Amino acid sequence: RWVLAGWTVFTTENLIMSEYKVDIKKYWGGRGGPKAYQTMYSTLSGLASFSLFAAYWRWSHFGIALSPPTAGARALSFAFRAAGLCTVSQLMPPINLGALQIALGLWEPPKDTPPEVKVDLACPFDFNAYANRGEVYGIT
């Protein structure tokens, strides 16, 4: 139950914080601005992830012990994982190297950067790069 609750909180928090990002930033108020939003987002995600880690740590020793996999099962699982990773890799958005440098603290954007550009620099992934291709794109 604890793990299910942790995943539920994590998924709900990410859904709300991502879908209503503009509205939350608009009505946020205060001095923090985008940094306050990012701090809250990171804190909530961190707490939900810590809850999952704590649940795993607490109950991982009480699960059902399975027999070791055979060589055929290992080969089949490797093939399925490789196929899954190849498929998922086609959906990955391009990395915005400028935003990555900012996220790592290696570069500071100029003070005169427009706010709409600063929002895009807050995440190293450019999720809107292929938006013109439709809802599901990139799988070849």
Side-chain angles (χ1 to χ4, degrees), residues 31-94:
R31 300 176 323 173
K35 289 222 183 242
Y37 169 83
Q38 186 63 38
T39 301
M40 184 174 81
Y41 191 99
S42 298
T43 301
L44 292 174
S45 289
L47 289 172
S49 298
F50 178 75
S51 171
L52 291 168
F53 171 76
Y56 173 76
W57 185 263
R58 169 68 176 91
W59 282 289
S60 64
H61 307 293
F62 301 110
I64 298 171
L66 301 175
S67 61
T70 63
R74 285 180 188 243
L76 193 60
S77 69
F78 178 80
F80 280 129
R81 284 183 184 182
L85 285 172
C86 287
T87 302
V88 168
S89 72
Q90 299 300 307
L91 291 172
M92 293 298 293

Side-chain angles (χ1 to χ4, degrees), residues 7 18 20 23 36 51 56 60 76 89 96 107 123 138 140:
W7 276 116
S18 298
Y20 300 104
D23 295 328
S51 171
Y56 173 76
S60 64
L76 193 60
S89 72
N96 181 351
W107 183 69
C123 180
T140 57

Side-chain angles (χ1 to χ4, degrees), residues 66-135:
L66 301 175
S67 61
T70 63
R74 285 180 188 243
L76 193 60
S77 69
F78 178 80
F80 280 129
R81 284 183 184 182
L85 285 172
C86 287
T87 302
V88 168
S89 72
Q90 299 300 307
L91 291 172
M92 293 298 293
I95 296 176
N96 181 351
L97 294 177
L100 183 61
Q101 291 174 351
I102 292 170
L104 294 174
L106 302 174
W107 183 69
E108 186 70 30
K111 300 293 182 197
D112 60 343
T113 305
E116 43 292 337
V117 174
K118 281 187 179 181
V119 169
D120 291 337
L121 293 176
C123 180
F125 296 105
D126 186 3
F127 291 107
N128 293 321
Y130 304 126
N132 61 344
R133 296 184 186 178
E135 281 293 320

